[in-house]
């Protein structure tokens, strides 16, 4: 088993890391306070090819694999988790389902736009359907001239900036197995308005929006995949999205370890750097071990996706472990900084605020434990005791 990155992946990692340190990190604090990502930074991200990292080159993208996408999100998130999720949500929640389920015409129409700067999003969650995505109530009714959408969606990452969305809506309310369908919706969208913009604990520069559909009419050809297969589209999309969020969490965890280690080297108490005390060393060691384990889980899940093997079990493990690692590492970093860690003059408090969301979106930790347990039970029923 080869644990080394390929030359192409290593070069990508180095170039994105350089960009992240020079262009993303310096404004992270101000973006957190201002609550948005400047257009100038988004333009740089587009120019570097990160919004089309996994889009085939025939559609104007970089044509790289899922592992490359994970590396990009990790490196950007080390500097700014809100900017990292802009890239992750765009690629995994909008680009991926169009690549996986779109027709040739849909790919030709939308993927070049997504690669060249139009921001994408997924419109799935509703006030009454969070973890229970199948309980959605936003309706899509087929008419002679298209699909008419009515209802609302919440918690849409990239919702303020998005120009293309993948929408999951009810098309057959009386058929529980074929209740939902997926659609592509593109601006300008008559009958759709951006509602509430959430004020959040963390990732404040990433927009989280409500969408309100009021007789929003979209063309019939914008159905994504088969009618009645929207739940399948949503679950498949979230499987991939979890690799992206795990990578975001990994970036936060690494940033937390970095600042905690640097501070432990320079903060002197009792006539010695606090990094000389075993209580601090234990925290740093625990952080390092969990970061390394998280990276292995993420790369395994990404590799399986690239090999077109079933990977939902592994992406759930990666996202569960990496997200809880991010919270642990950020909390440890605050503890290492002591009282200063609670102050906005130091980045540890931002890392702690940013980390928490990774345990919630793209499936809560509780949902992931259910997914993983079902996988374990399924293997047991087949005569195996563990995944290998």
């Amino acid at each position: 088993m080869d644990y080394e990155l390929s030359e192409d992946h290593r070069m990508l990692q180095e170039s994105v890391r350089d960009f992240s340190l020079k262009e993303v990190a310096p404004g992270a604090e101000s973006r957190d306070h201002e609550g948005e990502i400047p257009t100038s930074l988004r333009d740089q991200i587009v120019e570097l090819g990160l919004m089309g990292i996994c889009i085939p080159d025939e559609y104007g993208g970089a044509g790289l694999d899922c592992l490359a996408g994970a590396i990009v999100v990790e490196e950007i998130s080390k500097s700014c988790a809100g900017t990292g999720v802009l890239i992750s949500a765009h690629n995994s929640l909008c680009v991926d389902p169009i690549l996986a389920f779109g027709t040739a015409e849909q790919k030709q129409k939308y993927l070049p736009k997504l690669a060249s700067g139009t921001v994408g999003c997924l419109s799935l969650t509703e006030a009454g359907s969070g973890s229970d995505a199948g309980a959605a109530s936003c309706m899509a009714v087929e008419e002679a001239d298209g699909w008419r959408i009515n209802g609302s969606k919440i918690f849409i990452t990239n919702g303020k900036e998005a120009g293309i969305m993948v929408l999951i809506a009810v098309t057959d309310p009386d058929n529980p197995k074929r209740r939902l369908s997926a659609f592509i919706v593109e601006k300008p969208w008559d009958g759709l308005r951006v509602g509430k913009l959430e004020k959040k604990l963390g990732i404040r520069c990433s927009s989280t929006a409500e969408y309100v559909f009021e007789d929003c009419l979209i063309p019939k050809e914008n159905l994504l995949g088969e009618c009645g297969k929207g739940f399948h589209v949503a679950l498949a999309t979230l499987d991939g999205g979890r690799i992206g969020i795990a990578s975001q969490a990994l970036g936060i965890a690494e940033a937390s370890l970095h600042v905690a280690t640097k501070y432990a080297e320079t903060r002197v108490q009792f006539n010695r750097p606090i990094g000389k005390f075993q209580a601090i060393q234990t925290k740093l060691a625990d952080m390092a071990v969990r970061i390394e384990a998280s990276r292995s889980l993420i790369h395994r899940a990404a590799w399986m996706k690239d090999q077109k093997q079933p990977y939902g079990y592994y992406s759930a493990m990666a996202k569960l472990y990496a997200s809880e690692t991010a919270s642990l590492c950020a909390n440890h970093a605050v503890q290492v900084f002591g009282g200063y860690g609670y102050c906005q003059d130091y980045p540890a408090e931002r890392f702690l605020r940013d980390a928490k969301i990774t345990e919630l979106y793209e499936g809560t930790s509780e949902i992931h434990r259910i997914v993983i347990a079902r996988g374990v039970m399924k293997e047991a029923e087949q005569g195996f005791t563990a995944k290998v």
Side-chain angles (χ1 to χ4, degrees), residues 39-252:
T39 302
S40 57
L41 180 56
R42 291 211 312 268
D43 289 344
Q44 288 179 284
I45 291 169
V46 171
E47 185 176 353
L48 200 59
L50 305 187
M51 300 300 268
I53 192 71
C54 298
I55 294 176
D57 54 9
E58 64 189 283
Y59 303 113
L64 301 182
D65 57 13
C66 180
L67 179 56
I71 290 169
V72 166
V73 174
E74 175 191 351
E75 293 298 330
I76 297 297
S77 297
K78 287 181 187 178
S79 297
C80 177
T83 304
V85 79
L86 164 75
I87 298 168
S88 177
H90 168 89
N91 282 294
S92 63
L93 302 185
C94 187
V95 169
D96 265 10
I98 294 175
L99 274 171
F101 300 101
T103 63
E105 292 77 15
Q106 287 171 338
K107 293 176 184 178
Q108 190 62 53
K109 181 176 181 180
Y110 296 111
L111 292 178
K113 296 177 183 179
L114 290 163
S116 61
T118 300
V119 177
C121 69
L122 173 67
S123 191
L124 171 64
T125 304
E126 299 180 15
S129 60
S131 296
D132 184 8
S137 60
C138 182
M139 290 289 300
V141 178
E142 188 174 11
E143 298 182 353
D145 51 350
W147 294 90
R148 192 166 298 277
I149 317 295
N150 280 283
S152 63
K153 296 286 183 177
I154 62 169
F155 295 164
I156 301 164
T157 302
N158 296 347
K160 180 181 175 183
E161 303 86 3
I164 297 173
M165 84 169 82
V166 171
L167 167 70
I168 308 297
V170 179
T171 50
D172 192 350
D174 298 324
N175 187 342
K177 292 185 178 181
R178 299 181 61 87
R179 190 169 183 271
L180 304 176
S181 297
F183 302 89
I184 302 172
V185 185
E186 183 183 15
K187 279 186 178 177
W189 34 46
D190 293 332
L192 170 59
R193 61 181 173 87
V194 178
K196 180 183 179 184
L197 296 176
E198 300 293 342
K199 296 178 181 179
K200 306 185 298 295
L201 175 70
I203 57 163
R204 291 175 176 171
C205 67
S206 167
S207 69
T208 305
E210 174 192 31
Y211 281 170
V212 180
F213 299 85
E214 297 168 324
D215 288 332
C216 178
L217 187 66
I218 62 172
K220 282 194 175 184
E221 60 267 23
N222 282 35
L223 178 70
L224 179 63
E226 293 181 41
C227 189
K229 294 289 187 178
F231 192 65
H232 172 66
V233 173
L235 292 184
T237 299
L238 292 176
D239 280 344
R242 286 162 183 161
I243 298 174
I245 298 307
S247 303
Q248 179 198 25
L250 176 59
I252 297 169

Side-chain angles (χ1 to χ4, degrees), residues 265-282:
E265 289 175 338
T266 58
R267 173 64 169 172
V268 175
Q269 292 286 275
F270 306 103
N271 299 315
R272 67 174 72 178
I274 62 173
K276 297 293 185 181
F277 293 102
Q278 288 185 345
I280 301 300
Q281 292 174 352
T282 297

